[in-house]
Amino acid sequence: MDYRPMFEAIRTGVSVPEEYAAHLIIGRTFEKEIIENDIDYVISYQASKIRIFLGDYGFGKTTLAKYAITRASEKGMVYSMLTEKDYKSIYRQDEFFRSIMKNLRMVGFQGDLLRFILNNWAEQFLKENKDSLETLERDQIVAYLKNSNQLFDGFFADVCGAYLYNYINEKSNNELLAFIRGDKVPKRTLRDYGITHFLEDDGWNFLDAFMKLLLTFGIKGLLLVMDELENLRQNRKDIRDKIYNHLRELLDKLPGGEIKAINCIWLGTREWFDDQERGIKSYTALYDRIQKEVSGVQTKESTLVELKPMSTDDLNKLVEKVSGMYKETYNITLSQKQINTIKSTATQQFTNINGEVSVAPRRVIKWLTELLDVFKEGNKDIINAINSVSKSVEVDDDRYSSIF
């Protein structure tokens, strides 16, 4: 297999593509089983689930999320991954839903997924109700939807009715789709679609109805990843409290059964969780809901799971695996003796006096990739490559601050 895109992402310091994430997860059997169990639960029961993973920077939280995306996609789910850029106004129901829609993806599908879903719904609905719909005006179609199925109500019925009317009459739905994704669309333009009230107070109902619509198409659910949540601390207090209240509502609505088939993963640091001034602990209503789940012993049923540092054995496995992928990609000769030398160096360089691995996995992977790059381009002397990279690490340690 060619892992070049993975190594290019590592060198650049950006997130690795989803299809390579599983290859970089070492020593996370417990967490991987949790992810797989959650996906199976959401699909089997059409219920919703929230799981919180905490870990220091570089501990592989985002990589675990990419693993979840791969597994969920294999089982027929779509996904949406939110990051810091999506959190400024997510305390508003409409902005939260739009953030999900803006980032909605399906592995292997390169087109406009939201348009694809709604076009397929419109085509199927029209096929089943053609004689009743073709001569109706827009407001009559909205009324027809509301009378035909409990799924269609409120703003969701208005949007679907407008979309279906335009689809039947071969008119553009571009502005309507743009509005759903959060692009700036003047309200007077939306009124041309028959939209007279909006998402502000109906976002939860819209999300619930949208999930039910996905299920009718055989899509098994939505994996919703909320990454980089520790950055919420940067907001001023009034905004931060609104966002934390929104997260509290999510905890109530998803596991509580109000919204179906969403597997939601929160990713953040322990520091964010314990911060009494700006973190979760600063918002008692949210902290208490999560803290009551923490008994001091992590099980596969714990809402909150804290990622542990790598063991020395994990470190050796990581060196072995990444070295093997590098050899396969770049067709270099790297003997087991040379790999063992790299393992010994990594153990010496990245463990503390207690024999514990003292750095995050991403730092080891970036160090190892650079070492192998030097080895490949140099005179194939592993000791010289190790010495060269070790000296550069001492001079410029900030290179390891990027996320993948």
Side-chain angles (χ1 to χ4, degrees):
M1 182 173 178
D2 188 349
Y3 299 93
R4 193 182 300 266
M6 182 188 78
F7 285 111
E8 289 297 331
I10 291 169
R11 293 184 186 101
T12 308
V14 299
S15 190
V16 300
E18 286 86 0
E19 60 266 30
Y20 300 101
H23 298 289
L24 294 177
I25 301 176
I26 301 293
R28 297 291 185 207
T29 302
F30 178 74
E31 290 85 353
K32 287 164 67 177
E33 288 180 357
I34 285 174
I35 287 170
E36 290 165 4
N37 289 344
D38 287 352
I39 292 169
D40 288 341
Y41 168 75
V42 168
I43 291 174
S44 297
Y45 291 89
Q46 292 187 355
S48 291
K49 178 87 176 179
I50 290 182
R51 187 77 71 167
I52 306 168
F53 290 103
L54 299 182
D56 287 343
Y57 294 103
F59 264 49
K61 299 185 297 294
T62 303
T63 304
L64 268 178
K66 295 294 184 71
Y67 176 81
I69 287 171
T70 299
R71 291 292 174 262
S73 300
E74 289 172 351
K75 298 199 173 184
M77 297 177 73
V78 294
Y79 74 93
S80 185
M81 189 165 184
L82 311 188
T83 55
E84 182 183 4
K85 63 180 171 52
D86 302 300
Y87 297 145
K88 188 172 294 185
S89 302
I90 65 161
Y91 59 86
R92 294 173 46 186
Q93 292 184 34
D94 55 339
E95 291 301 322
F96 179 61
F97 176 80
R98 285 165 169 160
S99 292
I100 295 173
M101 292 299 101
K102 180 172 59 180
N103 294 286
L104 192 67
R105 303 287 187 274
M106 177 186 291
V107 171
F109 184 86
Q110 301 300 322
D112 185 337
L113 182 57
L114 182 59
R115 186 188 299 273
F116 176 78
I117 290 169
L118 290 177
N119 279 354
N120 274 272
W121 164 74
E123 183 176 348
Q124 181 176 314
F125 197 87
L126 181 60
K127 187 182 298 183
E128 295 171 354
N129 301 271
K130 185 174 182 180
D131 294 339
S132 304
L133 289 173
E134 285 196 321
T135 60
L136 297 183
E137 295 299 320
R138 183 167 41 226
D139 58 341
Q140 294 173 314
I141 289 179
V142 172
Y144 184 90
L145 290 177
K146 290 180 178 179
N147 291 330
S148 67
N149 194 315
Q150 292 182 350
L151 168 66
F152 300 99
D153 193 16
F155 181 70
F156 187 72
D158 290 345
V159 169
C160 289
Y163 198 97
L164 185 57
Y165 174 81
N166 289 341
Y167 187 84
I168 292 170
N169 292 281
E170 299 182 354
K171 295 184 177 182
S172 172
N173 274 309
N174 290 342
E175 290 89 353
L176 192 57
L177 288 167
F179 171 72
I180 294 172
R181 293 195 190 94
D183 296 338
K184 290 184 178 180
V185 179
K187 289 190 174 181
R188 65 177 179 274
T189 301
L190 293 170
R191 289 190 178 95
D192 293 339
Y193 286 84
I195 306 298
T196 57
H197 66 280
F198 304 94
L199 265 172
E200 283 87 346
D201 300 315
D202 206 21
W204 292 121
N205 291 330
F206 199 103
L207 180 58
D208 178 45
F210 183 78
M211 291 309 305
K212 291 174 181 174
L213 183 67
L214 290 185
L215 292 173
T216 64
F217 277 110
I219 293 174
K220 301 299 184 181
L222 167 69
L223 175 67
L224 174 60
V225 178
M226 302 180 69
D227 198 3
E228 303 175 343
L229 287 172
E230 65 274 0
N231 291 316
L232 295 178
R233 291 179 295 173
Q234 298 172 6
N235 292 293
R236 67 175 193 259
K237 187 178 187 307
D238 59 329
I239 298 298
R240 193 170 63 243
D241 285 351
K242 289 178 181 179
I243 296 175
Y244 287 156
N245 185 61
H246 176 80
L247 295 180
R248 178 198 62 78
E249 283 192 275
L250 265 181
L251 277 169
D252 290 343
K253 291 182 179 297
L254 268 60
E258 290 187 40
I259 301 176
K260 305 293 186 184
I262 296 180
N263 182 13
C264 188
I265 295 176
W266 295 359
L267 303 173
T269 63
R270 184 78 208 191
E271 185 182 7
W272 164 63
F273 186 81
D274 289 333
D275 188 339
Q276 298 186 46
E277 299 296 325
R278 294 175 172 270
I280 286 182
K281 205 168 186 177
S282 70
Y283 198 80
T284 305
L286 175 60
Y287 180 77
D288 286 348
R289 275 171 170 73
I290 302 171
Q291 184 66 14
K292 68 183 179 181
E293 299 286 345
V294 181
S295 62
V297 178
Q298 286 190 167
T299 72
K300 291 178 182 176
E301 308 306 325
S302 301
T303 299
L304 186 149
V305 177
E306 189 162 6
L307 304 183
K308 304 300 182 185
M310 286 191 299
S311 66
T312 304
D313 185 51
D314 293 335
L315 178 62
N316 287 329
K317 289 179 180 176
L318 184 61
V319 170
E320 188 87 41
K321 188 164 188 178
V322 174
S323 298
M325 290 188 288
Y326 195 98
K327 284 175 59 179
E328 188 174 345
T329 299
Y330 295 101
N331 194 29
I332 64 170
T333 300
L334 187 66
S335 70
Q336 188 60 49
K337 182 179 179 180
Q338 289 171 318
I339 292 175
N340 290 340
T341 300
I342 298 173
K343 288 180 184 178
S344 297
T345 303
T347 300
Q348 182 180 7
Q349 186 160 315
F350 298 122
T351 57
N352 57 29
I353 58 175
N354 298 319
E356 301 167 334
V357 178
S358 56
V359 299
R362 89 170 160 224
R363 177 173 174 181
V364 177
I365 294 171
K366 286 178 73 71
W367 170 84
L368 179 56
T369 300
E370 183 170 344
L371 188 158
L372 294 171
D373 286 344
V374 172
F375 175 78
K376 175 171 68 73
E377 297 300 328
N379 60 6
K380 306 299 188 292
D381 186 315
I382 197 66
I383 299 299
N384 285 343
I386 288 172
N387 289 337
S388 174
V389 174
S390 295
K391 288 178 182 177
S392 71
V393 169
E394 293 173 5
V395 173
D396 184 12
D397 197 49
D398 290 339
R399 290 173 305 131
Y400 301 105
S401 62
S402 57
I403 297 174
F404 64 85

